[in-house]
Amino acid sequence: MTAHELDAAPAAVMGTRDTWISFTDLAVWAFLMYGLGTATPYLRTDLHITAFEAGLHGSALAVGILIAGFVTDRIARLVGMHWLPDLEVAIIALGIALFALAPSLPVSLSGALLMGLGGSILSSDNNLRLGRVKGEGSRRLLAQAYGLSMIMAGAAPLAIGLAAAHLASWRVAMAIPVAVF
């Protein structure tokens, strides 16, 4: 496909509310995935845990993603496609809260697992929604959505580091996705 053919794809879908919600959802998910690794050393200090225990947070996120692979279809059928976005956001918000406000390792690991579960369901749902656009428009939207997501992924470590250095807490940056939702 040439650049001209991509430019000829329907641009009308770009301004739809659902498109922008999908873009935002995927950007927030990317922020969380890349921000978790940056936040973990700060969490390690706060909870007085070992490097091994801190490293388990990435594994917990991955386990949440794996679980989502097995349950997403069933959850979508159970709650319906209309309510699925609300459930995704609720799972992610609870995960962020547990991770960022955790008083102990089991709570923070549970938060990371929930972020992975909700984020993976969110990603699958939004890929489906953006992919429903007819013709070349879906390719264009998916490329733009993931381009924006990678910008947010790169911004996450910066935001968390700046928050830790200048706002007295890395936890402020972890609250950004909750504010966006």
Side-chain angles (χ1 to χ4, degrees):
M1 169 176 294
T2 66
H4 177 68
E5 290 171 324
L6 267 179
D7 287 340
V13 295
M14 277 301 301
T16 68
R17 179 180 179 274
D18 288 342
T19 300
W20 286 108
I21 289 171
S22 289
F23 280 20
T24 303
D25 285 352
L26 291 169
V28 166
W29 171 225
F31 183 96
L32 290 173
M33 279 194 299
Y34 283 77
L36 182 81
T38 305
T40 301
Y42 298 112
L43 183 68
R44 177 182 176 206
T45 301
D46 291 352
L47 296 181
H48 309 287
I49 57 178
T50 67
F52 173 79
E53 292 168 327
L56 291 174
H57 290 87
S59 298
L61 182 83
V63 168
I65 292 169
L66 288 172
I67 291 170
F70 291 106
V71 301
T72 297
D73 187 50
R74 283 177 244 160
I75 290 172
R77 284 189 206 144
L78 181 67
V79 300
M81 292 303 287
H82 178 74
W83 293 107
L84 190 59
D86 294 333
L87 180 62
E88 297 157 4
V89 170
I91 293 170
I92 293 170
L94 178 60
I96 293 169
L98 289 174
F99 179 79
L101 303 174
S104 65
L105 179 63
V107 175
S108 63
L109 288 172
S110 299
L113 186 137
L114 287 174
M115 284 191 286
L117 175 66
S120 186
I121 295 170
L122 176 142
S123 181
S124 297
D125 179 32
N126 281 290
N127 284 330
L128 176 66
R129 291 175 193 278
L130 291 173
R132 285 186 181 152
V133 174
K134 299 207 185 310
E136 297 301 321
S138 66
R139 285 188 192 176
R140 181 184 202 176
L141 291 175
L142 287 167
Q144 291 169 335
Y146 281 95
L148 176 62
S149 294
M150 290 302 96
I151 291 170
M152 288 304 293
L158 182 62
I160 291 169
L162 287 172
H166 300 291
L167 299 176
S169 178
W170 59 274
R171 298 168 197 272
V172 173
M174 288 302 289
I176 291 170
V178 176
V180 170
F181 280 137

